[in-house]
Amino acid sequence: MYVGEIEVRYDPKTIEARWQSIWERDGAFKASRDAQGAKYYVLEMFPYPSGKIHMGHVRNYSIGDVLARFLTMRGCNVLHPMGWDSFGLPAENAAIQHGIHPANWTRENITNMKTQLKRMGLGYDWDREVATCLPDYYKWNQWIFLKLFEKGMAYKKRSSVNWCPSCLTVLANEQVEDGLCWRCSTIVDAKELEQWFLKITAYADELLDCTYKLPGWPEKVLVMQRNWIGRSEGAEVSFKVDGTDEAIKIFTTRPDTLYGVTFMSLAASHPLLAKITTAERKADVEAFAAKVKADRRVNRGAGEEIKEGVFTGAYCINPLNGDRAPVYAANFVLMEYGTGAVMAVPAHDQRDFEFAKTYGLPVRVVINPPSQTFDTDAMECAYADEGVMVNSGRFNGMKNTDAMKGIVKLLEEKGVGKGSITYKLRDWGISRQRYWGCPIPIVYCQACGAVPVPYNDLPVVLPEDVSFTGKGLSPLVESPGFIGVKCPKCGSKARRETDTMDTFVDSSWYFLRYCSPMATGLPFDKKDAEYWMPVDQYVGGIEHAVMHLLYARFFTKALRDLGLHGFDEPFTNLLTQGMVCKETQKCPEHGFLFPEEAAGGKCGRCGHPVEAGAVEKMSKSKKNVVDPDKIIEKYGADTTRLFSLFAAPPEKDLDWSADGVEGSYRFLGRVWRLVNENLSAVKGVKAYDPRPGGVLSSDAQDIRRITHETIKKVTHDIEERFHFNTAISAIMELVNALYIFNPCRDGASPEDAGLRVFMESLNAVVALLTPFAPHIAEELWEKLGHTTALHKARWPVYDEAALKRDSVLVVVQINGKVRGKINVPPGSTEDAVRGMALGDEKVKEWTRDKTLKKFVYVPNKLVSMVVS
RNA sequence: GCGAGGGUGGCGGAACUGGCAGACGCGCCAGACUUAGGAUCUGGUGGGCAACCAUGGGGGUUCGAUUCCCCCCUCUCGCACCA
């Protein structure tokens, strides 16, 4: 290489510290409404301050930072904030286990993690930092709660709730996965409790409809939300219980099959069961109910069970045809959905069919397929498709789809039913029997009942003088100073609510607080919110597809209806990044091993050869984790970021590979040397400018073309596709080409056009690298003689003229096989290309003595000939 | 079972609307510089001696298919008695 340079080693540690402090000094990432350019709000899901950042964070925040830095360089007015989802169970557990107060534990973790994020070189506007555990923030949770309470959107009810016996708290339905607690995987119990609920169901339709207006979201997430909301249209029908005043209310999506009802199924926990069961059936029904309850606990999520039931002795009357149908309790009917009772139409519902076969109940066909008549005895399964109505009174002969409306109308006329819509979505239970959360601002008074804390008294601050035993109820219950309060209404002795809010409440509006973190009169300033919102690009893990993203959407709509802002949806575009995975390592003796325990392929404890396991999501339990701190320590933040972006496209899972990190480090070293080793040669050289021009050698012309092609590709890959991996590989190719080009011969004058092209290319490499590896880019930018820092510089724009080629390579296929390649001037006519193709020596060999049957020309790309 | 998304070299992954399959990186091989190099630089690297064969398997459409259509296998994720 170039002789006479003083070798300057690539030393990420020094460079990175230096630029981080310069950025801080310059306030490089401070966002302001008054700044120039179109607003762009980039947001990554804020972390829970568990102590240390992990590779998932590194990936998440690297992706966000690429976008934020790129868009800033593109001239956008970017808001890129960060904060802490800092209420939650781990802090309380730490208090119980180590005697540290949750507030202190959380504060320390935030300090540590903030340092880590800064060391990553992430460009956040820290002036907007929010921490949900601070009274400044959670005061507004309480404020919002009171507003919702006033509107009847927050209400209290006694109901069966999901209780996690390990977390000692209630869980929302969304927080129960396969019957297990989403956090600790303990089997969830049912428990009757008085709880606060938010009426998310009031927004069920809007939440559902808007999923069709979010083209920037992954279809997968939208489908999951739609399924979760689970809207079904149908009818509610009342069936009188024969000989009593009771009526069973059912929900059905198939009112057209009403004439085919041959029995009735109630959930085993249906409240009517006790009333209608006859004396002689009582013992059986109770035993059955107990069995179902026990099975649910053991078998939840286990899939299809055998359909079982027991006769109650009661009969109900079909309101349309007066038929008497036996009432059963059945294990497949869920109390939580619809009305907990199902009319059974075995001919047209598979579950009812199986049940009827088991218990010898009649099957009555009311819909025949278009050109077929069912023989009831020969049916092997239910017929759930469309057809023609039979055995259905005045509806006979109609298409069932047409009869549907008529039957609902008839029900309404008779006053025995009505059209109805049911959702799977339940109201959101937000009460948590925990200390480390936002207090619910309610006071209980003997005389006045549940009284809201006056707005002036907000925030209801969490008391610090509590003890953490891990036993019994929430520490707040034991805090007399907190509990003892006077009724805001009548002044008599009252008791404060001791439940705190689900932490998902905190994260349902934090993106709004970022817009005006200092707002004092309201949770956020309307003008600020309407300027910055909605978030243009939200980046986070797929695990929040339903819970957080649904709650945040709900809050956005609820706050809109409180008049706080005027938009409908919080997140225009959503990017769900894949998980960070790594191969597990196992010792037959000692189980899973951390990477450092498996050094040299042997178990650190017993020396047994390590067995390689599957590639799985990084987790402490599998010990296949890599500590970002150690990677940053060894290679620097730029390498760490670069690798996490290069190894896979963002939405896919990423396989962590130590060798791959090494490769990214090597590449940055290569860029470093490319600039440094040629520094004295390019000193004072002006980047090539095509206007005054200068004659370029064909090599220089090629390099210039590659440079501008790279600018075009990298821009496109970041902007349109988020394919950072291919963007980075394009930069690598340019660097490889520049190593070969190398015009820095001794004595090349600064006016040398080749040298000026080289300078232009070096500038491009460095600028293009900025979003991925910002520190090294800034350092090299400075070394190249720029006086304006890169973070204030503009993204390079490609020169259309530079992309032009003298000739293009056209592939010649003969009978579908590549037989030759020819260079033709771009834009050649088909006739000209045909002549050149047929004149090519190799092509001649393959076409000799053959006749040309077909000739296809794809301009500037390919010729395809068929010969025989 | 239903829904969604995948299956491409030894590995991670490229290939925009059908147009040279394997970019880029890792690993591996060779060479250069070196006392040495796990540093760096250069070159090579799907299989096969070849014709040819290769994008999970089998059909189809097409001049041409990783890409479009049909059938099957397989993996991952989500939902799972939703009436």
Side-chain angles (χ1 to χ4, degrees):
Chain A
M1 256 288 142
Y2 198 71
V3 194
E5 292 291 341
I6 300 153
E7 201 201 332
V8 189
R9 261 182 53 84
Y10 172 42
D11 176 19
K13 220 173 267 183
T14 329
I15 297 170
E16 293 179 358
R18 177 166 173 247
W19 285 97
Q20 282 161 21
S21 71
I22 292 175
W23 294 331
E24 186 135 4
R25 184 198 70 201
D26 292 356
F29 310 110
K30 306 252 172 281
S32 156
R33 247 173 72 190
D34 308 322
Q36 292 281 306
K39 77 95 185 176
Y40 200 99
Y41 188 170
V42 183
L43 181 67
E44 300 110 52
M45 291 179 183
F46 65 167
Y48 177 77
S50 56
K52 282 177 138 191
I53 60 167
H54 54 67
M55 275 302 168
H57 293 131
V58 168
R59 190 175 190 203
N60 190 176
Y61 304 150
S62 296
I63 293 167
D65 204 43
V66 168
L67 294 172
R69 287 177 182 269
F70 170 75
L71 288 157
T72 303
M73 290 178 81
R74 292 286 267 175
C76 292
N77 185 22
V78 170
L79 172 59
H80 189 213
M82 182 44 74
W84 311 96
D85 187 13
S86 51
F87 269 139
L89 221 40
E92 217 165 320
N93 291 338
I96 294 163
Q97 281 159 26
H98 309 296
I100 312 165
H101 194 281
N104 295 335
W105 185 81
T106 303
R107 201 177 302 128
E108 278 170 32
N109 287 347
I110 288 176
T111 309
N112 290 339
M113 288 173 73
K114 192 169 170 182
T115 308
Q116 286 186 298
L117 293 184
K118 286 190 172 172
R119 206 180 301 146
M120 286 273 304
L122 300 165
Y124 294 122
D125 179 352
W126 285 107
D127 287 355
R128 293 170 184 266
E129 177 179 7
V130 303
T132 58
C133 65
L134 299 177
D136 264 0
Y137 184 86
Y138 69 70
K139 170 184 179 178
W140 300 109
N141 269 5
Q142 295 170 343
W143 187 94
I144 293 165
F145 177 90
L146 292 177
K147 288 289 174 191
L148 294 175
F149 179 78
E150 281 171 17
K151 288 186 77 179
M153 291 286 299
Y155 65 96
K156 204 167 193 196
K157 73 174 176 193
R158 187 173 179 83
S159 66
S160 175
V161 292
N162 305 304
W163 178 261
C164 174
S166 163
C167 300
L168 295 175
T169 190
V170 164
L171 300 172
N173 283 1
E174 293 82 2
Q175 294 160 12
V176 181
E177 294 167 350
D178 294 333
L180 307 177
C181 172
W182 72 295
R183 218 177 236 298
C184 69
S185 296
T186 306
I187 296 176
V188 172
D189 272 341
K191 199 167 178 174
E192 282 276 324
L193 276 179
E194 279 266 302
Q195 296 285 294
W196 286 99
F197 286 85
L198 298 185
K199 217 179 251 177
I200 189 171
T201 54
Y203 289 90
D205 276 323
E206 200 195 331
L207 287 167
L208 178 63
D209 294 345
C210 287
T211 62
Y212 296 95
K213 297 174 198 160
L214 289 170
W217 282 42
E219 190 57 25
K220 182 184 180 170
V221 174
L222 296 173
V223 167
M224 280 163 78
Q225 294 214 347
R226 281 174 208 144
N227 289 341
W228 189 262
I229 295 166
R231 178 188 152 109
S232 23
E233 278 182 51
E236 237 171 57
V237 188
S238 283
F239 284 65
K240 277 236 162 63
V241 180
D242 200 15
T244 74
D245 291 336
E246 303 291 347
I248 299 168
K249 207 191 239 181
I250 60 102
F251 173 77
T252 179
T253 53
R254 294 293 304 273
D256 52 320
T257 63
L258 208 58
Y259 286 87
V261 173
T262 56
F263 62 100
M264 176 72 62
S265 310
L266 299 191
S269 51
H270 198 288
L272 262 183
L273 221 45
K275 289 188 192 163
I276 63 168
T277 301
T278 56
E280 57 272 26
R281 302 294 309 145
K282 199 168 179 226
D284 282 1
V285 171
E286 279 172 5
F288 178 74
K291 181 179 177 298
V292 170
K293 199 176 171 191
D295 283 356
R296 274 278 146 74
R297 198 169 315 183
V298 181
N299 266 338
R300 42 180 97 237
E304 299 269 312
E305 284 171 55
I306 302 159
K307 302 206 173 3
E308 283 185 277
V310 58
F311 181 42
T312 60
Y315 289 84
C316 65
I317 307 295
N318 186 321
L320 290 190
N321 59 14
D323 272 9
R324 234 168 139 250
V327 179
Y328 278 73
N331 67 343
F332 62 88
V333 181
L334 306 171
M335 193 59 222
E336 308 85 61
Y337 184 77
T339 61
V342 185
M343 66 178 208
V345 186
H348 305 292
D349 182 283
Q350 187 57 28
R351 290 158 305 184
D352 297 343
F353 185 85
E354 286 171 34
F355 194 90
K357 287 288 156 192
T358 312
Y359 294 96
L361 292 159
V363 176
R364 180 200 274 173
V365 172
V366 290
I367 296 167
N368 273 322
S371 53
Q372 194 190 333
T373 304
F374 277 124
D375 173 7
T376 311
D377 299 328
M379 280 181 94
E380 281 175 7
C381 63
Y383 178 76
D385 293 334
E386 293 178 11
V388 181
M389 306 283 292
V390 290
N391 297 325
S392 301
R394 66 159 100 150
F395 300 99
N396 284 343
M398 290 175 77
K399 277 183 69 184
N400 73 309
T401 43
D402 297 334
M404 195 106 61
K405 279 182 211 129
I407 290 179
V408 171
K409 211 176 149 208
L410 181 61
L411 289 168
E412 282 168 5
E413 280 165 16
K414 290 188 153 197
V416 290
K418 60 175 198 304
S420 162
I421 296 161
T422 297
Y423 300 89
K424 205 189 110 174
L425 181 70
R426 311 275 85 175
D427 276 342
W428 175 16
I430 57 154
S431 297
R432 296 291 180 274
Q433 292 65 44
R434 308 301 315 180
Y435 166 76
W436 193 235
C438 171
I440 295 172
I442 291 287
V443 167
Y444 297 104
C445 166
Q446 286 269 314
C448 311
V451 181
V453 172
Y455 288 97
N456 283 339
D457 294 350
L458 297 184
V460 175
V461 178
L462 269 182
E464 299 236 344
D465 59 333
V466 289
S467 53
F468 300 93
T469 57
K471 285 179 197 136
L473 300 159
S474 149
L476 288 178
V477 180
E478 323 277 329
S479 168
F482 181 75
I483 289 197
V485 66
K486 284 203 172 123
C487 172
K489 246 188 197 168
C490 68
S492 59
K493 218 175 130 191
R495 180 179 60 85
R496 203 183 275 289
E497 169 68 82
T498 53
D499 283 354
T500 51
M501 295 184 201
D502 181 3
T503 56
F504 277 111
V505 174
D506 311 340
S507 54
S508 290
W509 68 281
Y510 75 108
F511 42 89
L512 290 160
R513 184 71 184 169
Y514 282 142
C515 298
S516 41
M518 303 304 171
T520 50
L522 287 168
F524 50 89
D525 180 85
K526 189 171 187 174
K527 285 208 185 87
D528 284 330
E530 289 183 345
Y531 175 78
W532 291 113
M533 288 292 291
V535 171
D536 294 278
Q537 184 65 58
Y538 199 25
V539 187
I542 185 77
E543 66 273 18
H544 292 111
V546 176
M547 293 189 275
H548 163 59
L549 290 167
L550 191 64
Y551 296 142
R553 293 182 59 219
F554 159 54
F555 255 58
T556 300
K557 292 169 193 300
L559 295 175
R560 174 199 62 197
D561 293 345
L562 288 172
L564 293 179
H565 64 76
F567 42 89
D568 299 325
E569 285 286 336
F571 314 123
T572 307
N573 296 293
L574 173 69
L575 175 63
T576 49
Q577 101 245 5
M579 295 180 297
V580 181
C581 303
K582 193 182 175 301
E583 189 177 71
T584 54
Q585 292 179 303
K586 232 175 174 173
C587 164
E589 192 108 347
H590 298 101
F592 287 117
L593 299 174
F594 284 111
E596 56 274 19
E597 292 175 332
K602 286 184 177 167
C603 174
R605 272 192 278 176
C606 65
H608 203 106
V610 168
E611 293 167 10
V615 175
E616 293 188 69
K617 180 186 176 175
M618 279 190 184
S619 75
K620 275 184 200 145
S621 60
K622 301 264 166 62
K623 299 194 175 181
N624 57 340
V625 287
V626 174
D627 181 359
D629 259 354
K630 290 192 180 139
I631 304 293
I632 294 171
E633 178 65 25
K634 190 167 172 193
Y635 298 103
D638 282 338
T639 296
T640 311
R641 294 166 57 125
L642 191 72
F643 176 72
S644 78
L645 295 162
F646 177 66
E651 69 277 7
K652 281 189 125 194
D653 285 353
L654 179 153
D655 281 9
W656 187 264
S657 127
D659 289 338
V661 181
E662 197 80 40
S664 292
Y665 181 68
R666 230 155 30 206
F667 168 66
L668 291 182
R670 211 164 136 77
V671 176
W672 178 261
R673 287 186 296 276
L674 179 68
V675 173
N676 278 285
E677 286 169 5
N678 296 296
L679 213 48
S680 64
V682 298
K683 196 166 189 170
V685 171
K686 280 206 185 106
Y688 182 79
D689 183 343
R691 274 162 301 178
V695 184
L696 294 185
S697 66
S698 79
D699 278 358
Q701 215 166 44
D702 283 347
I703 276 295
R704 194 151 190 272
R705 199 194 62 245
I706 295 169
T707 300
H708 287 267
E709 280 171 353
T710 305
I711 295 171
K712 187 178 180 183
K713 179 170 171 56
V714 172
T715 309
H716 177 256
D717 282 355
I718 297 177
E719 198 159 50
E720 307 290 330
R721 313 198 304 158
F722 302 144
H723 280 203
F724 310 129
N725 55 334
T726 52
I728 294 165
S729 79
I731 303 173
M732 287 172 169
E733 283 179 84
L734 175 57
V735 168
N736 291 345
L738 289 172
Y739 261 89
I740 293 162
F741 176 56
N742 183 28
C744 303
R745 302 164 298 272
D746 284 317
S749 95
E751 302 308 316
D752 183 277
L755 206 52
R756 294 182 56 200
V757 167
F758 190 63
M759 186 64 179
E760 183 189 18
S761 300
L762 291 180
N763 281 338
V765 166
V766 171
L768 294 177
L769 207 54
T770 313
F772 310 106
H775 311 89
I776 188 175
E778 289 270 21
E779 184 78 11
L780 293 176
W781 188 252
E782 188 185 61
K783 281 176 177 262
L784 283 169
H786 297 276
T787 47
T788 314
L790 244 188
H791 64 265
K792 289 181 189 150
R794 277 298 137 99
W795 187 254
V797 178
Y798 68 89
D799 174 5
E800 194 71 54
L803 301 179
K804 284 212 181 97
R805 293 164 179 268
D806 294 337
S807 70
V808 288
L809 188 69
V810 168
V811 171
V812 184
Q813 292 186 346
I814 296 165
N815 291 344
K817 297 227 153 68
V818 179
R819 296 303 187 195
K821 294 174 184 184
I822 54 173
N823 276 303
V824 309
S828 301
T829 62
E830 178 166 339
D831 282 345
V833 174
R834 183 198 300 246
M836 286 184 273
L838 291 172
D840 183 77
E841 282 307 314
K842 279 195 188 133
V843 174
K844 273 185 185 163
E845 279 173 37
W846 289 94
T847 50
R848 191 166 296 140
D849 305 327
K850 305 242 168 76
T851 34
L852 183 59
K853 289 258 176 108
K854 186 163 185 151
F855 183 91
V856 179
Y857 177 52
V858 181
N860 302 329
K861 268 195 180 147
L862 161 143
V863 162
S864 184
M865 293 191 251
V866 184
V867 299
S868 65

